[in-house]
Amino acid sequence: MSTTHLLLTIIIYLLPAIYFFYSSIEIYLRNRKSKVNQSAALLVACFAVLCLAQLVLNLAPPAFSPFFYQTIFFPVILISTGLGMKFYFNLSKFGQRLSLTARIIIYCLPFCLFAPLSICTPYLVSGYVLDSLWIKPILGSFFPYLMMIFVFMYSLVENLLLIRMIRSTSGGHKRKYVMLMISSFITLLWGFVMFILSNLFPPYIAMPELSIHSVIFYVIAVRTIVKRYDMLPNESRKYEMLFELVPFGVALLDKDANIVEINAAGRQILTPPDDDGSHKAYSFLDAYPKEMHAQLLDSYRKQFDARQSLHNFEVTKISFRNHLPISFMVDTEFLEIGDETFVYMILRDITAHKEAEQRISFLAYHDALTGLPNRNLFQQRVNESLLQAQEEQQLLAVMLLDLDRFKIVNDSLGHQVGDRLLQFVAGLLSKPFYEGSTVARIGGDEFLILLPNLPDKQLGVQIGSELIARFQQSSYTEEGLELNVTASLGISFFPDDGEDVYSLIKSADISMYRAKEQGRNQMEAYQPSMSHKAHERLKLERNLRKAIEREELVLYYQPQIDLINGRVCGIEALVRWNSPEQGIIPPQQFIPFAEECGLIVPLSNWVLRNACLQSKRWQEEGLPALQVAVNISTLQFHQNHFAGNVQAILEETGLDPKYLCLEITESVAVQNQEQAIALLERLTTLGISIAIDDFGTGYSSLSLLNKLPVHQIKIDKSFIGDKSPQGAQIAKSIISLSRSLNMNVLAEGVETQEQYNFLMEHQCDSIQGYLISHPISASEFEIWLRARIESGEHQ
Ligand code: C2E
Ligand code: MG
Ligand code: MG
């Protein structure tokens, strides 16, 4: 065998064989699951085997050639003919219309008819010629041509299927089928020409068998189509993925409402939780109670027969999964598959959407925190009741209920506790008390109550008192802390106190404020004279705000005397409002009000800053350094950043912290104890002193007092002024208690020499009171102190 022959054989047969094998694997790997890819890959692999057979045929000793030709070459051609048909059947889905037996017969027919002839008999190949280089079979007279005609017929059917597909598609798919058809024609043409050339005409016998190479075009076409046009296998894979992953439910139903096919989202809506789509078949009717099945099936069939499709049809049923109502939109279309018609159903779960819608409409008329009606709904109900009351000449009551000192709870214990407390109160008010009543929350800690169809005012007042009592009888416990919430309530009646909803609410509001002024925790019915007071309140708030801005506040100072050496040991800064209209106003008249409306915070900051500034100034002017005591309100103490604020003021004014004493009341420390102790410790580490003001009037326990980092106890003036033996006894006990706790004790409100002597006798540390000096302005105090120094009282 010459080298040229060897090389030529390799080029002509081995290279295409390698290319075909490579293509076959590539097509298969592109989508292993696809039947189209599988049959295409097998077909191309057959072409590779044919080339290999030719290679072996031409390289092996001539004695083996007939064997290869008859047992490999022809049988593989026959197998590939069947496979080719399988490929087209899969591609066009035409195969689905035929039964499995019919398909197997079609695929195997060429092989079964001709392979035995090829293998066992000389009917196909009658002999062989061997020229200088190539070996060729001499074909039998009749059967080979019959086989060719058979192969040609198969190819014809395949191309007819292609033409059908070309006609029924468009765009990229059309192009891919056209390309496949063209390559198929080229294959046939080339195969035919080469067969004629290399076999029929003896002058050309000295050339290799080239007809097999015709499939190169074909393989290239299949590969290109797989890559460029994303063959149908990919399409069906895409469709499968889309079917499974699409968030809508998709289901295919037959004429009896049986679910033939359903995706994951559809199963969520229509089938029980154990349905993973693999086994049991369900009916669309399973989504409904059994007793409805017959009727539903009947209407389903009617729609089916009339081909009536649904659009945006809303359905609500109980979910299999969580047994809650589930709502979905249904759209249907009819789909012909083969001879059968199916209902193609799209299901959109709109439960969340519906819930949101309901929630939105609920929130438009209800309060989100408590679920009670809001102002809108309340007004609507009052308006409806008013119409009836006008017609039937009835009474109607509107109540406004406001929690007492809710702001302190909110500021000291946090908004979350405040919210929970409001929910507790809503529960308290939701317990029935009058038929047809409406309780609404209108923001903050304010609740409105409507009592329609009242027989008389007396009943309204009685219900109001009962509600107040309801608060007194229950307490709210949060983290072991028991909060006794009380409420103030104002009540107004139609028609006397207002003829419309607005004036009724306004009157109830005014009377509620009156109840607050009267000491809270009570009910007030509206009286016309109250309007004036309410007006006054508003004026006061406006004026006080301006007073802080315009610096109309002044600080008075009251000295404190050490009983051991008679020296001035400190001063207490006491605020006054120097009103241009009313003159000096004492703190009792505006501090509680400032606490209520929140103005206490800017007011207290002003006091703290000015007391520190004044104290520092006196020190700079050479007066003896005295500790200045500043009163701290509860709200201010529980304010965020209180300690940081004090520190900033000390730095700003330059006052040494040891000259500042903060007076807090027992109630400040009782509320939110741990936080209060931590805050006090932080302040004392800065060097600031802490005094407990008005001691004995609050409800601090001994154990709490022991935990607090306090330097001084100020006995409340009520015990000093109390002439009874009990008063003296209490004062004595407080003094000895302070001693045992190692705290300094100061008596407030000392007015007489007798009181002075009593305190001296019982070893009180220091005193403060009119006996020594009234609270006086800064300039008066300066004169007072200098006079005292000069007289030698302060050495
Ligand atoms: P407090 O802290 O117990 O102040 C002592 C009060 O007793 C002062 O009343 C003072 O004038 C009065 N007082 C002093 N010596 C005597 C006396 O011998 N007999 C009698 N009957 N009273 C005496 P004031 O100045 O009217 O202050 C009343 C309360 O107002 C203070 O009680 C304090 O709780 C509050 N207050 C005053 N200034 C401020 C302030 O700047 N901030 C805060 N948060 N509260 C303040
Ligand atoms: Mg005080
Ligand atoms: Mg006091």
Side-chain angles (χ1 to χ4, degrees):
M1 186 184 296
S2 70
T3 325
T4 329
H5 181 222
L6 185 69
L7 271 175
L8 269 176
T9 318
I10 287 176
I11 292 168
I12 293 170
Y13 295 118
L14 187 61
L15 291 185
I18 292 171
Y19 172 69
F20 293 162
F21 270 128
Y22 168 76
S23 301
S24 160
I25 292 168
E26 193 189 48
I27 291 167
Y28 173 69
L29 290 182
R30 213 168 158 82
N31 184 2
R32 291 173 211 210
K33 283 187 187 166
S34 151
K35 287 190 174 154
V36 181
N37 281 42
Q38 285 169 5
S39 48
L42 275 176
L43 183 64
V44 175
C46 280
F47 299 154
V49 173
L50 288 176
C51 282
L52 276 185
Q54 282 286 353
L55 177 80
V56 176
L57 196 78
N58 279 286
L59 291 183
F64 290 104
S65 302
F67 171 76
F68 282 115
Y69 222 98
Q70 286 169 243
T71 55
I72 299 179
F73 194 78
F74 273 142
V76 174
I77 284 191
L78 295 162
I79 290 172
S80 69
T81 308
L83 279 174
M85 188 59 86
K86 187 170 162 46
F87 171 59
Y88 281 93
F89 273 5
N90 287 336
L91 193 64
S92 63
K93 299 231 166 133
F94 182 77
Q96 287 176 358
R97 297 186 174 195
L98 304 174
S99 69
L100 184 64
T101 330
R103 271 180 282 153
I104 290 176
I105 291 174
I106 293 172
Y107 301 154
C108 299
L109 195 63
F111 185 84
C112 295
L113 283 180
F114 297 99
L117 292 177
S118 167
I119 297 165
C120 315
T121 68
Y123 291 126
L124 287 182
V125 183
S126 58
Y128 296 88
V129 268
L130 177 71
D131 75 344
S132 54
L133 287 177
W134 314 102
I135 185 160
K136 293 250 171 51
I138 301 166
L139 297 177
S141 55
F142 171 66
F143 285 107
Y145 299 100
L146 188 66
M147 187 182 85
M148 294 299 164
I149 293 168
F150 217 88
V151 173
F152 182 76
M153 293 284 286
Y154 264 61
S155 157
L156 196 70
V157 172
E158 288 164 6
N159 280 297
L160 286 174
L161 285 175
L162 265 181
I163 291 171
R164 195 167 154 264
M165 286 191 278
I166 289 167
R167 285 175 56 181
S168 62
T169 48
S170 60
H173 296 307
K174 198 179 195 105
R175 271 203 298 281
K176 100 185 162 193
Y177 296 138
V178 169
M179 192 172 165
L180 202 61
M181 200 162 92
I182 293 171
S183 70
S184 157
F185 278 126
I186 294 176
T187 305
L188 277 180
L189 196 67
W190 173 300
F192 183 70
V193 170
M194 281 304 160
F195 181 76
I196 303 287
L197 286 182
S198 52
N199 289 304
L200 289 186
F201 300 107
Y204 301 105
I205 198 117
M207 64 184 284
E209 170 63 80
L210 294 175
S211 56
I212 184 64
H213 295 83
S214 58
V215 295
I216 291 179
F217 290 103
Y218 192 71
V219 174
I220 291 174
V222 172
R223 268 196 65 197
T224 317
I225 287 165
V226 166
K227 279 189 181 166
R228 184 145 30 116
Y229 294 111
D230 219 4
M231 284 282 269
L232 200 65
N234 277 342
E235 230 167 68
S236 72
R237 194 172 41 152
K238 271 196 287 187
Y239 171 75
E240 251 172 51
M241 280 176 75
L242 185 73
F243 183 75
E244 271 309 310
L245 298 178
V246 74
F248 301 138
V250 184
L252 206 62
L253 269 59
D254 69 7
K255 63 178 189 323
D256 298 319
N258 292 317
I259 300 171
V260 181
E261 226 178 302
I262 185 162
N263 71 348
R267 286 196 292 273
Q268 290 287 327
I269 300 173
L270 288 186
T271 63
D274 57 357
D275 178 23
D276 60 1
S278 59
H279 43 284
K280 200 176 161 220
Y282 288 94
S283 163
F284 179 71
L285 304 175
D286 292 339
Y288 294 92
K290 279 218 159 44
E291 53 272 22
M292 293 171 71
H293 284 196
Q295 191 201 342
L296 278 171
L297 187 62
D298 191 43
S299 64
Y300 177 85
R301 282 195 178 135
K302 273 186 193 143
Q303 283 181 357
F304 192 94
D305 293 340
R307 296 289 186 268
Q308 230 174 52
S309 46
L310 299 174
H311 293 290
N312 290 336
F313 185 74
E314 203 180 309
V315 179
T316 299
K317 70 163 191 97
I318 299 297
S319 165
F320 282 119
R321 319 255 152 181
N322 53 15
H323 306 288
L324 294 172
I326 176 172
S327 304
F328 51 95
M329 282 282 196
V330 178
D331 284 285
T332 60
E333 280 305 337
F334 290 88
L335 190 70
E336 310 275 336
I337 300 178
D339 305 331
E340 230 183 308
T341 305
F342 295 92
V343 173
Y344 204 65
M345 185 179 266
I346 305 284
L347 306 142
R348 273 171 294 151
D349 187 345
I350 51 163
T351 316
H353 179 78
K354 294 247 340 162
E355 277 170 7
E357 225 173 57
Q358 278 166 3
R359 179 104 190 113
I360 288 167
S361 67
F362 178 82
L363 285 182
Y365 288 102
H366 291 84
D367 164 48
L369 180 69
T370 59
L372 290 176
N374 64 9
R375 188 188 286 267
N376 289 343
L377 185 54
F378 185 82
Q379 287 178 348
Q380 231 176 60
R381 297 251 171 101
V382 175
N383 282 331
E384 286 162 12
S385 306
L386 275 174
L387 279 179
Q388 197 187 345
Q390 274 159 351
E391 263 174 33
E392 295 171 21
Q393 308 239 313
Q394 285 170 335
L395 277 181
L396 172 157
V398 168
M399 299 184 188
L400 198 141
L401 182 142
D402 188 285
L403 301 186
D404 295 332
R405 302 186 192 280
F406 177 71
K407 196 165 166 43
I408 294 179
V409 173
N410 229 359
D411 289 342
S412 57
L413 300 179
H415 288 263
Q416 282 175 342
V417 177
D419 283 355
R420 285 196 286 271
L421 179 64
L422 286 171
Q423 283 165 340
F424 168 78
V425 169
L428 216 57
L429 292 174
S430 298
K431 285 184 201 146
F433 50 87
Y434 181 75
E435 208 185 317
S437 64
T438 299
V439 178
R441 176 172 172 246
I442 53 163
D445 57 344
E446 285 188 329
F447 296 84
L448 277 172
I449 300 157
L450 163 71
L451 307 178
N453 309 330
L454 265 187
D456 54 47
K457 284 191 182 181
Q458 192 48 41
L459 181 62
V461 172
Q462 191 189 322
I463 291 170
S465 310
E466 274 169 23
L467 287 176
I468 297 286
R470 213 177 252 196
F471 277 82
Q472 289 161 345
Q473 283 151 13
S474 51
S475 63
Y476 175 69
T477 312
E478 174 83 34
E479 292 167 6
L481 188 73
E482 199 177 299
L483 295 173
N484 290 309
V485 230
T486 59
S488 303
L489 192 149
I491 181 166
S492 64
F493 294 96
F494 168 82
D496 292 356
D497 308 331
E499 300 224 315
D500 57 46
V501 59
Y502 302 105
S503 50
L504 282 167
I505 293 178
K506 195 175 160 210
S507 302
D509 192 27
I510 291 169
S511 43
M512 187 275 291
Y513 266 106
R514 180 80 188 133
K516 291 244 173 200
E517 276 170 8
Q518 295 292 307
R520 304 184 174 96
N521 189 20
Q522 53 190 287
M523 193 212 76
E524 275 292 327
Y526 178 77
Q527 278 155 22
S529 62
M530 288 177 180
S531 280
H532 174 70
K533 290 213 162 175
H535 186 72
E536 286 291 295
R537 256 185 84 81
L538 276 175
K539 215 168 106 186
L540 182 64
E541 186 178 337
R542 204 173 44 238
N543 287 348
L544 185 57
R545 182 166 285 121
K546 278 191 193 151
I548 300 168
E549 284 164 14
R550 293 181 191 162
E551 303 239 333
E552 284 173 14
L553 300 176
V554 277
L555 281 183
Y556 273 38
Y557 296 89
Q558 189 176 33
Q560 300 166 342
I561 302 293
D562 188 323
L563 280 184
I564 296 174
N565 55 24
R567 292 174 66 158
V568 180
C569 58
I571 41 171
E572 180 174 3
L574 294 156
V575 71
R576 269 101 184 90
W577 176 5
N578 191 1
S579 159
E581 294 146 25
Q582 290 164 273
I584 298 282
I585 304 173
Q588 241 96 27
Q589 282 182 28
F590 62 92
I591 294 273
F593 177 72
E595 276 184 335
E596 208 158 83
C597 66
L599 282 174
I600 190 71
V601 176
L603 186 150
S604 307
N605 284 339
W606 181 90
V607 169
L608 191 62
R609 179 175 290 107
N610 282 279
C612 292
L613 262 179
Q614 183 61 69
S615 184
K616 179 74 185 168
R617 197 173 300 145
W618 278 328
Q619 285 181 24
E620 282 168 357
E621 285 171 8
L623 280 172
L626 297 173
Q627 193 180 57
V628 63
V630 177
N631 294 285
I632 301 299
S633 80
T634 315
L635 204 68
Q636 185 187 12
F637 185 79
H638 287 296
Q639 201 196 339
N640 283 341
H641 319 301
F642 171 67
N645 213 6
V646 173
Q647 198 177 357
I649 289 176
L650 283 171
E651 276 166 20
E652 182 192 322
T653 54
L655 185 73
D656 187 332
K658 71 177 177 193
Y659 294 119
L660 178 65
C661 173
L662 301 180
E663 291 191 7
I664 57 165
T665 56
E666 289 159 275
S667 55
V668 169
V670 171
Q671 276 177 27
N672 212 356
Q673 285 181 20
E674 278 170 25
Q675 203 185 321
I677 293 170
L679 186 54
L680 288 174
E681 269 164 4
R682 195 174 152 198
L683 291 165
T684 46
T685 36
L686 288 176
I688 298 166
S689 302
I690 307 292
I692 301 247
D693 204 358
D694 304 340
F695 189 80
T697 57
Y699 15 62
S700 60
S701 64
L702 263 183
S703 60
L704 172 65
L705 204 60
N706 204 12
K707 280 192 248 166
L708 294 176
V710 168
H711 303 89
Q712 190 179 54
I713 283 182
K714 295 183 82 173
I715 311 173
D716 190 63
K717 54 182 174 289
S718 58
F719 303 115
I720 307 299
D722 190 347
K723 292 203 177 81
S724 68
Q726 287 95 327
Q729 191 50 47
I730 293 173
K732 268 199 299 189
S733 316
I734 298 176
I735 294 171
S736 63
L737 171 75
S738 314
R739 296 239 154 275
S740 66
L741 290 174
N742 236 347
M743 290 176 188
N744 186 292
V745 59
L746 180 143
E748 283 187 298
V750 181
E751 294 180 357
T752 62
Q753 193 59 42
E754 199 186 339
Q755 290 163 351
Y756 180 93
N757 294 343
F758 172 85
L759 294 163
M760 274 288 264
E761 189 189 325
H762 291 97
Q763 296 176 328
C764 183
D765 295 310
S766 44
I767 55 161
Q768 177 183 344
Y770 294 166
L771 182 69
I772 311 300
S773 164
H774 277 252
I776 43 180
S777 70
S779 52
E780 284 171 333
F781 176 74
E782 210 178 309
I783 296 167
W784 181 87
L785 188 60
R786 285 194 198 282
R788 208 171 157 89
I789 295 169
E790 273 166 29
S791 68
E793 274 177 287
H794 190 93
Q795 285 146 358

Short mmCIF file of all heavy atoms in Angstrom, two decimals, residues 48 184 214 257 284 288 377 406 496 544 579 655 661 747:
data_model
loop_
_atom_site.label_atom_id
_atom_site.label_comp_id
_atom_site.label_asym_id
_atom_site.label_seq_id
_atom_site.Cartn_x
_atom_site.Cartn_y
_atom_site.Cartn_z
N ALA A 48 -20.89 8.70 10.75
CA ALA A 48 -19.49 8.52 11.15
C ALA A 48 -19.09 7.05 10.99
O ALA A 48 -18.00 6.75 10.47
CB ALA A 48 -19.33 8.96 12.60
N SER A 184 -30.88 18.86 2.62
CA SER A 184 -31.34 17.51 2.33
C SER A 184 -31.34 17.26 0.81
O SER A 184 -30.94 16.19 0.35
CB SER A 184 -32.72 17.34 2.96
OG SER A 184 -33.43 16.35 2.33
N SER A 214 -21.84 13.21 0.80
CA SER A 214 -22.95 14.13 0.62
C SER A 214 -23.54 14.56 1.97
O SER A 214 -24.02 15.67 2.12
CB SER A 214 -24.04 13.46 -0.20
OG SER A 214 -24.45 12.29 0.48
N ALA A 257 -63.02 18.21 33.06
CA ALA A 257 -62.38 19.04 34.09
C ALA A 257 -61.27 18.30 34.83
O ALA A 257 -60.87 18.70 35.93
CB ALA A 257 -63.41 19.59 35.08
N PHE A 284 -60.24 19.52 38.48
CA PHE A 284 -60.39 20.92 38.84
C PHE A 284 -61.47 21.04 39.93
O PHE A 284 -61.42 21.92 40.78
CB PHE A 284 -60.80 21.72 37.60
CG PHE A 284 -61.00 23.18 37.87
CD1 PHE A 284 -59.92 24.00 38.15
CD2 PHE A 284 -62.27 23.73 37.85
CE1 PHE A 284 -60.11 25.35 38.41
CE2 PHE A 284 -62.46 25.07 38.10
CZ PHE A 284 -61.38 25.88 38.39
N TYR A 288 -63.22 22.27 45.11
CA TYR A 288 -64.51 22.68 45.70
C TYR A 288 -65.11 21.56 46.54
O TYR A 288 -64.77 20.39 46.33
CB TYR A 288 -65.49 23.05 44.59
CG TYR A 288 -65.05 24.27 43.83
CD1 TYR A 288 -64.27 24.14 42.68
CD2 TYR A 288 -65.37 25.53 44.28
CE1 TYR A 288 -63.83 25.26 42.00
CE2 TYR A 288 -64.94 26.66 43.61
CZ TYR A 288 -64.17 26.51 42.47
OH TYR A 288 -63.74 27.61 41.81
N LEU A 377 -64.49 57.30 60.56
CA LEU A 377 -65.63 56.41 60.79
C LEU A 377 -66.50 56.93 61.94
O LEU A 377 -67.73 56.87 61.89
CB LEU A 377 -65.11 54.99 61.10
CG LEU A 377 -66.16 53.90 61.26
CD1 LEU A 377 -67.07 53.83 60.05
CD2 LEU A 377 -65.50 52.54 61.46
N PHE A 406 -49.95 60.25 80.07
CA PHE A 406 -49.49 59.25 79.11
C PHE A 406 -48.12 59.64 78.54
O PHE A 406 -47.28 58.80 78.26
CB PHE A 406 -50.51 59.09 77.98
CG PHE A 406 -50.07 58.14 76.92
CD1 PHE A 406 -50.02 56.79 77.17
CD2 PHE A 406 -49.67 58.59 75.67
CE1 PHE A 406 -49.58 55.90 76.21
CE2 PHE A 406 -49.23 57.71 74.71
CZ PHE A 406 -49.19 56.36 74.98
N ASP A 496 -78.02 70.02 73.28
CA ASP A 496 -77.66 71.18 74.11
C ASP A 496 -76.26 71.72 73.87
O ASP A 496 -76.04 72.92 73.84
CB ASP A 496 -77.82 70.81 75.59
CG ASP A 496 -79.27 70.60 75.96
OD1 ASP A 496 -80.13 70.83 75.07
OD2 ASP A 496 -79.56 70.18 77.09
N LEU A 544 -46.73 81.38 77.28
CA LEU A 544 -45.56 80.76 77.93
C LEU A 544 -44.47 80.47 76.90
O LEU A 544 -43.29 80.68 77.16
CB LEU A 544 -46.00 79.47 78.65
CG LEU A 544 -44.91 78.78 79.48
CD1 LEU A 544 -44.34 79.72 80.52
CD2 LEU A 544 -45.48 77.53 80.16
N SER A 579 -44.24 88.31 83.87
CA SER A 579 -45.12 88.60 82.74
C SER A 579 -45.35 90.10 82.64
O SER A 579 -45.63 90.75 83.65
CB SER A 579 -46.43 87.86 82.94
OG SER A 579 -47.44 88.45 82.17
N LEU A 655 -18.80 76.08 84.75
CA LEU A 655 -19.02 75.82 86.18
C LEU A 655 -18.48 74.44 86.55
O LEU A 655 -18.74 73.47 85.85
CB LEU A 655 -20.52 75.92 86.51
CG LEU A 655 -20.86 75.79 87.99
CD1 LEU A 655 -20.46 77.05 88.76
CD2 LEU A 655 -22.35 75.51 88.19
N CYS A 661 -26.09 71.05 92.06
CA CYS A 661 -26.89 69.98 92.68
C CYS A 661 -28.19 69.88 91.91
O CYS A 661 -28.81 70.89 91.60
CB CYS A 661 -27.15 70.35 94.14
SG CYS A 661 -28.29 69.19 94.94
N ALA A 747 -33.78 70.63 105.82
CA ALA A 747 -35.21 70.85 106.09
C ALA A 747 -35.67 72.07 105.31
O ALA A 747 -35.03 73.12 105.35
CB ALA A 747 -35.41 71.06 107.58
#
